[in-house]
Amino acid sequence: MARFGYTLMTEQAGPKELVRHAVRAEAVGFDFEVMSDHYSPWLSEQGHAPYAWSVLGAVAYATESVGLMTYVTCPTVRYHPAVIAQKAATMQILADGRFTLGVGSGESLNEHVVGDGWPSIDTRQDMLQEAVAIIRALHSGDVVSWKGEYFDVQSARIWDLPEIPVPIAVAMSGEESVEKFGPMADCLIGVQPDSDLIRQWKHLHSRAFGLEPARRSIAQIPIAWDLDRDAAIARAYEQFRWFGGGWSVNSELPTPASFAAATQFVRKEDVAENIPCGPDLDAIVDAVSKYADAGFTDVALLQIGGDTQDRFFDEAAKPLLEALHVRLG
C-alpha cells in the first residue's frame, strides 16, 4: 500500500508551530513526516529557517507513532558526517525507532554559510558517498578512525546507539547516482515521477540483496490547497516560484536574493501549471498518482503557506487522505 506523508517545512514556519503541525498531522492520519534542513529560506517571503534537528527532537517527543525523516540533510559541508552520525542515532532513540536519515549532496543556499566554498557536483557526490560510509561505520558502535579524501575522523565512537538501526535514505536522480548510492542506501529519495529510476533502483537492490524487494522510495510534491483558487495561486507564486528552476539550478544559488532574481520572470500561470492550487482534491490526487504509478512507495505532501496549515488540517487533510487511499491505497 502507498504511504502518504506530511512535510514540516522549516522555511515557512517557526519551531513551535512546526511541532504543533507535526502533532496535528499525526492526528489526522498521515503515515510519516519529513522535515527540511535549511539555513535559509528559498525566498525571503517564506520568512523562517529554525534549526531542524532541535525541532525534530521536540517532534519525536510530542508524537507517538508517525514516521520521522530529514528531507534532506547534507552531511558534508555545514555538518561533518561524524556529527550527523551522532545526531541521527540520538534521534532514533528519541523517536523509538521511527526515524529515517535522509541525505543528499546539498544546496549552496545552506552550505556556503560556513565559508568553505561550494564544490562541483561531482565532488559533492563523492563527498556524500564518503560521508555515508563514515556514518555507517560509526553506527556499528566501533571506535572509528578514518582518513579519506575529504574527511578525517579520529577515534570517534557513538556511545548512545539505538536498538533499531537508523535507515539511510539517499537522494538520487539518475542512472549514475543510483549505481553510486544505491548499494549503500536503505531507501531512495527522488524528485521526479521517473519510473526508470525506480526500475533501476529495484533491479540494483535485487542484484545486491537477492530476492528481497527494494525498500522505500520516497518523493515529495508541493500543493497549495485553498478554497479560493486565486489566493492559492498567488500564495504559491509568492513563496514557491523557485520550485520550477530544477535541482541543477537550485543547488547552485547562494541566497534568497539570488532566487528572487532568478525567478523574476516566472508567471503565476507557470506556477499554477506545475503545482496543484485551489480546492480541487482530485487534482492533488492526480499529481500524487504520477509518483505512485512510477513505483514510489511513499509520497509526502507539502502544503504551501505556513499560516494555512490549520485550515488545511481542519478542512482538507482527512478527505484528501481518504481520496488518496481510495485511488492509490
Side-chain angles (χ1 to χ4, degrees):
M1 293 179 62
R3 288 161 39 93
F4 306 109
Y6 172 80
T7 300
L8 296 160
M9 190 178 184
T10 58
E11 300 94 294
Q12 66 178 15
K16 290 186 176 181
E17 289 76 17
L18 288 165
V19 176
R20 189 170 58 80
H21 296 162
V23 172
R24 294 213 63 188
E26 180 178 52
V28 300
F30 283 99
D31 299 305
F32 65 100
E33 299 175 6
V34 304
M35 178 175 285
S36 55
D37 182 2
H38 276 229
Y39 199 88
S40 298
W42 299 97
L43 294 165
S44 59
E45 289 88 346
Q46 292 173 323
H48 294 276
Y51 183 55
W53 290 88
S54 297
V55 180
L56 275 170
V59 168
Y61 188 77
T63 57
E64 296 180 358
S65 60
V66 69
L68 302 175
M69 179 180 178
T70 49
Y71 198 98
V72 296
T73 198
C74 176
T76 59
V77 180
R78 185 169 39 123
Y79 304 130
H80 191 285
V83 177
I84 290 292
Q86 183 188 36
K87 292 198 284 192
T90 299
M91 262 303 304
Q92 187 70 309
I93 294 170
L94 289 172
D96 295 321
R98 296 181 282 134
F99 178 67
T100 296
L101 175 63
V103 297
S105 55
E107 300 98 10
S108 177
L109 176 70
N110 306 299
E111 308 306 319
H112 83 280
V113 296
V114 295
D116 284 343
W118 187 233
S120 69
I121 179 56
D122 290 340
T123 299
R124 298 199 307 265
Q125 291 197 341
D126 289 343
M127 292 173 73
L128 178 59
Q129 191 173 36
E130 186 174 326
V132 172
I134 291 169
I135 294 167
R136 290 284 194 201
L138 284 166
H139 282 179
S140 72
D142 295 335
V143 176
V144 174
S145 292
W146 178 289
K147 187 158 184 71
E149 186 174 357
Y150 301 104
F151 302 107
D152 290 344
V153 180
Q154 297 183 9
S155 304
R157 175 184 170 187
I158 305 301
W159 289 88
D160 289 277
L161 283 172
E163 293 183 5
I164 299 173
V166 179
I168 299 178
V170 182
M172 306 178 215
S173 59
E175 181 177 345
E176 190 173 324
S177 63
V178 172
E179 288 294 329
K180 190 166 196 170
F181 297 113
M184 61 174 50
D186 297 301
C187 312
L188 173 145
I189 296 169
V191 297
Q192 295 291 336
D194 185 345
S195 59
D196 289 337
L197 180 75
I198 300 301
R199 191 177 302 112
Q200 183 188 0
W201 160 248
K202 289 181 177 179
H203 175 72
L204 183 145
H205 200 277
S206 175
R207 189 177 69 202
F209 303 108
L211 296 178
E212 180 184 351
R215 299 184 185 181
R216 298 167 64 193
S217 46
I218 307 153
Q220 179 190 69
I221 68 163
I223 65 173
W225 175 87
D226 199 296
L227 293 177
D228 184 335
R229 187 168 188 270
D230 289 339
I233 293 172
R235 187 173 70 247
Y237 172 79
E238 178 192 54
Q239 299 190 22
F240 239 77
R241 62 187 182 273
W242 59 271
F243 186 72
W247 181 82
S248 60
V249 173
N250 292 342
S251 64
E252 301 296 335
L253 299 177
T255 64
S258 301
F259 280 91
T263 58
Q264 61 182 311
F265 298 114
V266 175
R267 304 169 302 168
K268 288 184 179 180
E269 50 265 40
D270 298 326
V271 173
E273 287 178 3
N274 290 283
I275 296 174
C277 295
D280 186 356
L281 299 184
D282 287 338
I284 299 173
V285 175
D286 289 343
V288 175
S289 296
K290 294 178 182 178
Y291 287 89
D293 292 344
F296 281 88
T297 62
D298 299 50
V299 181
L301 304 178
L302 192 167
Q303 165 68 0
I304 298 170
D307 60 353
T308 70
Q309 304 304 307
D310 284 327
R311 284 193 294 121
F312 174 72
F313 290 129
D314 289 340
E315 302 176 37
K318 285 188 176 181
L320 175 56
L321 284 171
E322 290 172 3
L324 286 167
H325 284 294
V326 168
R327 175 92 70 90
L328 305 173

